Amino acid sequence: MTLAASLRAELQSVAPDLLDEPAAAEYYGQVAESAARAHGVKSDLPLRVAVAATLLEWAITAHGEAPDVDAGTLLMADLRLALAAEIAAEVREPRVQAALSRAIMEMAVGIAEQPLGLATDPRPVLAELVGASAAIVGQGM
Amino acid sequence: MSIVAALRSSTVDPLEGMVEAELTRLLDQDPASVRLPMEELVAAGGKRLRPLMTMLSAQLGPAYDPRRAASLAAVLELIHSATLVHDDLVDGSAERRGRPTVGASLGPRMAIAVGDYYFARSAGILAELADDAVTLTVMRNVREVCRAQVLETNVRGASGLDQDVYMEIASGKTAALLVAACVGGAQLAGAPAAVHEALRAYATGVGLAFQMVDDVIDFEAGGTGKPVGQDLRAGVWSLPVIVAAEDPSVGARLARMLESPTGLGDAIDLVRGSGALGRVRHRAEALAQEAARSLDAVPTGDARTRLIGLAELAAGRRS
């Protein structure tokens, strides 16, 4: 199974609605695939972080739409932030968890300090997270 | 005596002082845009139940390190505070701990950003602690908190909620973070698996009892300074309502009252007069006693004694 196919299977189990608009999953899948290749990573860590990034993009984008976000969407975004952090915890690599934490904090400050609209496109921040995670694992091999 | 007063007057002040110092140290490092609202919320008080449980549980392990335990305790308090900021926004609450909520004073964008930032900040502090088991325990329980919040919102306004759904929501919404505090604290200090499991049972029981008493206080005049029956006004079927409605004659009258645009006050009076509040309090006390008994499996000593005291306070409080 390719990494992209694995990613879709993972998402099917935690957030199947995200597969209705697969652009984010495909994007982070590609980032993970090339990062894994660049750093010689054979484990599924880049895949796991790509799933987390897909969840985070949905969550941060939903939160960034405030005040036009309903209670159900706000709480679903919270749940997906928590799921992403749980995935990062499952990879048992504190440097990956720290990178995920920094990515969310950066995006949250963006929401706080921009009066209208999301401050930045979350993709560069999250792509950096996926790439950095692969590099961390690659260095440890 | 309120739980806050009881906690403050007990002999745990040194532990509380360590947690407060750690919270101050951590908050000092954050950008002002998110730090100031969180500082205000943290400074306004709160029971500090989760940090205290973390510190006491950590004392049950052979590798107890007060500094690391205080960091974990601060994480639990920050996560709890972050969830409160989002909860208040979802509920449209204007006040928390006698002060304007973040959402009310700074708007929804800031409330969302502050909650997200401090959830992520907590994940970062956990990463610095570098204990995989603790991180997993905390994050799995945070996910349970969020899952319960989604479930509660989905069933809000639905009449005829049953006890199974109530228990599922209370287990996630209230008990899960107490489990994270107790089990995480014990894991951080290297306590054996039997102690983790005893603390998991203890924290689950205390959390459920705490939520049940909260629900009862909501129906008791003067308990919180808020309008009586606030949950029912918000469309939430808390345990006293569910228990009252289990009597078919009360349930039918309750359903009619709640269908009427002017029936809410009568519905609240009906629940208060049904005996349900006493039955729920009795059940909370039984749960707290069971929670205390589950600590038979942990070493005797000051920490265990204080944890047992917390269970009694959680079930016996009046405000």
Side-chain angles (χ1 to χ4, degrees), chain B residues 278-300:
Chain B
R279 291 201 290 280
V280 173
R281 268 203 183 275
H282 182 72
R283 191 161 163 197
E285 285 161 10
L287 270 169
Q289 285 165 9
E290 199 180 319
R293 277 196 299 276
S294 66
L295 294 181
D296 288 350
V298 311
T300 54

Side-chain angles (χ1 to χ4, degrees), chain B:
Chain B
M1 182 186 286
S2 76
I3 190 167
V4 179
L7 291 177
R8 299 251 152 91
S9 68
S10 67
T11 54
V12 296
D13 284 348
L15 297 184
E16 194 179 333
M18 288 171 57
V19 175
E20 296 304 312
E22 181 66 358
L23 279 168
T24 302
R25 186 186 73 81
L26 293 168
L27 287 166
D28 275 349
Q29 300 167 15
D30 297 329
S33 58
V34 289
R35 169 174 48 86
L36 296 175
M38 181 53 82
E39 272 181 350
E40 188 164 344
L41 177 60
V42 169
K47 300 176 183 69
R48 302 285 199 266
L49 188 59
R50 292 151 196 84
L52 186 57
M53 284 183 160
T54 307
M55 298 299 287
L56 293 173
S57 299
Q59 290 181 354
L60 297 170
Y64 171 57
D65 176 339
R67 189 185 52 78
R68 282 168 62 78
S71 283
L72 179 61
V75 162
L76 269 302
E77 187 63 15
L78 289 175
I79 291 174
H80 173 58
S81 300
T83 66
L84 292 181
V85 172
H86 282 196
D87 284 355
D88 287 339
L89 183 62
V90 167
D91 294 341
S93 302
E95 278 196 9
R96 159 85 56 190
R97 300 171 183 164
R99 301 186 190 191
T101 59
V102 180
S105 62
L106 299 173
R109 286 183 68 80
M110 278 304 300
I112 286 174
V114 169
D116 286 357
Y117 182 91
Y118 279 99
F119 166 66
R121 181 82 165 94
S122 301
I125 301 163
L126 282 171
E128 287 170 17
L129 284 173
D131 186 313
D132 292 337
V134 172
T135 303
L136 264 173
T137 294
V138 173
M139 287 309 169
R140 283 184 177 152
N141 281 288
V142 171
R143 185 244 297 149
E144 282 307 299
V145 174
C146 295
R147 202 178 63 79
Q149 300 281 23
V150 170
L151 177 59
E152 186 181 53
T153 303
N154 288 344
V155 300
R156 186 168 288 196
S159 60
L161 201 64
D162 64 30
Q163 291 202 28
D164 288 345
V165 177
Y166 171 86
M167 294 297 274
E168 190 178 349
I169 292 170
S171 293
K173 202 174 82 164
T174 309
L177 268 192
L178 301 189
V179 171
C182 289
V183 176
Q187 287 173 322
L188 190 66
V195 171
H196 305 171
E197 290 318 305
L199 285 167
R200 184 185 306 280
Y202 162 83
T204 302
V206 172
L208 290 172
F210 192 91
Q211 184 60 52
M212 288 176 189
V213 172
D214 239 25
D215 294 346
V216 170
I217 290 170
D218 183 53
F219 277 95
E220 292 173 342
T224 60
K226 297 175 186 168
V228 173
Q230 192 158 348
D231 287 339
L232 200 51
R233 290 174 202 274
V236 174
W237 273 51
S238 61
L239 192 57
V241 183
I242 295 167
V243 168
E246 284 173 350
D247 176 336
S249 67
V250 174
R253 287 168 62 201
L254 200 54
R256 279 197 301 276
M257 288 170 180
L258 291 173
E259 280 170 13
S260 160
T262 57
L264 188 62
D266 290 338
I268 290 169
D269 288 342
L270 181 60
V271 173
R272 295 177 71 180
S274 68
L277 301 187
R279 291 201 290 280
V280 173
R281 268 203 183 275
H282 182 72
R283 191 161 163 197
E285 285 161 10
L287 270 169
Q289 285 165 9
E290 199 180 319
R293 277 196 299 276
S294 66
L295 294 181
D296 288 350
V298 311
T300 54
D302 202 35
R304 190 180 86 159
T305 303
R306 291 181 192 173
L307 286 167
I308 291 170
L310 282 179
E312 290 165 356
L313 282 167
R317 70 204 167 95
R318 297 279 157 185
S319 63

